[in-house]
Amino acid sequence: MKTFVWDFILLDFPGVYGDLKCLRLCGVFDYLAGHFKDVDTEKYLLHDRFATDLPEMQTLAVYDDGRYVYWRDEPNTKKPLIVHVDNAEHYPKCVIVGAVDPFYMIAHLVGKTLRVEYRNFFSKDWIEGYKMFTANVKTIAKSRKNETVGLPFHGMGIYVKVVNDIGYRPLKEKTGELKNIINLVATTDNEDIKQKKMEKITEIVSCIQFANDEKDFGMGLEFGHDIFWSNHNFFDKMAGKILTMAYKLLDREAFARILEVHMPIRRNISTDL
């Protein structure tokens, strides 16, 4: 079924769809609409990039309660996922809402049931396909779970090729335990506690170095995602170093480049949204 997102863009979201909470298209849509004139490569890479946007993420739209992003596990991914990210400063929650077609964003905001008062603002084809959109999300999420490994904080899993058990090894610390360690190190004023917990972090980094030597590159990718996702500036330098290494080892150089320009100013970018 063919959908026409541009017809929907022309509608007055705040006036017509109060429940859609002022959804605003941004990022790549600014470029497609001819609004982005700056040819500076670094500014282009940073355009509408949020502090918690991993290089895998590209913001598509924002609204009062969060944003929608394309998620690409590799720079050349042809069919990116569409993921909703809430506004939490630390460890924002990610939910898969679709893939490729931006109309999944609208379906997610409208909810599981299309209210009668909204029907006049959608095409007949879209209404007929609405149930398909919502049903597809479960299939997409299930497929994602089967294709990924690990339990990173964002809940999206880690995509790496594992052949003959080579490519990934799990972190020893459970998700909740690791989050507590990271939070304590980043926020405590007690230097004894900080030092003791940092010993755990140092052990993980050492394990990642061994894992990289044995081509289990996914371990560094997962831990790098975790400390980046915590959004504590204490870990910025470590996150940048570990993720850059992981991206290069996994031949994801474009992500390393995005990280390079993003990390120094990740909390100082004005999105004007």
Side-chain angles (χ1 to χ4, degrees):
M1 181 188 68
K2 178 67 174 177
T3 58
F4 299 91
V5 68
W6 297 108
D7 292 340
F8 198 82
I9 292 171
L10 297 177
L11 295 176
D12 177 8
F13 279 93
V16 178
Y17 294 101
D19 289 347
L20 296 187
K21 299 181 180 178
C22 303
L23 182 73
R24 294 181 59 189
L25 299 178
C26 59
V28 66
F29 288 106
D30 286 340
Y31 175 80
L32 292 174
H35 297 157
F36 191 77
K37 304 297 184 181
D38 203 317
V39 295
D40 185 290
T41 302
E42 290 191 3
K43 289 184 179 179
Y44 179 77
L45 291 175
L46 295 173
H47 184 59
D48 291 338
R49 182 162 290 278
F50 287 71
T52 51
D53 278 347
L54 286 157
E56 287 86 348
M57 300 161 66
Q58 181 182 26
T59 301
L60 294 174
V62 297
Y63 75 117
D64 291 354
D65 293 335
R67 66 189 187 276
Y68 293 92
V69 304
Y70 270 144
W71 182 291
R72 297 178 176 87
D73 292 300
E74 298 176 312
N76 61 350
T77 297
K78 301 299 183 183
K79 296 182 178 181
L81 296 171
I82 296 178
V83 176
H84 179 269
V85 187
D86 71 19
N87 288 328
E89 180 181 2
H90 305 286
Y91 312 104
K93 181 180 179 180
C94 281
V95 177
I96 295 173
V97 301
V100 185
D101 192 335
F103 250 83
Y104 277 105
M105 299 186 299
I106 310 303
H108 177 252
L109 282 179
V110 169
K112 295 181 179 180
T113 303
L114 182 59
R115 287 162 53 177
V116 174
E117 59 266 37
Y118 289 168
R119 293 179 181 271
N120 290 336
F121 300 103
F122 291 92
S123 69
K124 182 179 179 181
D125 286 344
W126 196 93
I127 293 175
E128 290 176 351
Y130 174 72
K131 289 184 179 180
M132 183 190 73
F133 273 96
T134 54
N136 279 351
V137 174
K138 293 182 179 180
T139 302
I140 293 168
K142 183 177 180 180
S143 177
R144 173 70 183 181
K145 187 174 182 179
N146 292 335
E147 294 172 353
T148 57
V149 294
L151 295 170
F153 295 151
H154 48 62
M156 292 292 296
I158 295 296
Y159 179 80
V160 290
K161 294 178 181 178
V162 179
V163 180
N164 296 326
D165 292 328
I166 297 176
Y168 172 79
R169 67 179 64 177
L171 298 169
K172 294 181 180 179
E173 288 71 20
K174 294 182 179 180
T175 301
E177 179 185 356
L178 180 57
K179 186 178 290 187
N180 287 336
I181 292 171
I182 290 172
N183 286 338
L184 274 173
V185 170
T187 62
T188 185
D189 293 325
N190 187 312
E191 289 301 320
D192 290 335
I193 293 177
K194 184 187 292 286
Q195 183 175 352
K196 184 176 181 179
K197 295 300 180 181
M198 267 304 297
E199 290 175 0
K200 290 283 189 180
I201 299 294
T202 302
E203 288 178 12
I204 295 173
V205 174
S206 295
C207 289
I208 290 170
Q209 292 171 344
F210 283 116
N212 286 342
D213 290 341
E214 297 176 3
K215 298 186 178 181
D216 287 332
F217 306 142
M219 186 181 195
L221 182 64
E222 180 176 8
F223 183 66
H225 274 207
D226 282 345
I227 54 178
F228 181 99
W229 204 246
S230 74
N231 197 23
H232 289 299
N233 58 10
F234 181 91
F235 287 105
D236 278 0
K237 186 175 181 179
M238 182 182 292
K241 183 176 180 179
I242 291 175
L243 279 177
T244 297
M245 177 62 71
Y247 290 139
K248 289 183 176 180
L249 291 172
L250 290 165
D251 294 323
R252 301 174 187 179
E253 296 280 350
F255 288 164
R257 175 58 177 156
I258 292 172
L259 194 70
E260 180 185 7
V261 298
H262 185 210
M263 289 301 289
I265 55 173
R266 65 182 291 201
R267 297 179 193 85
N268 299 321
I269 301 173
S270 175
T271 57
D272 295 325
L273 296 173

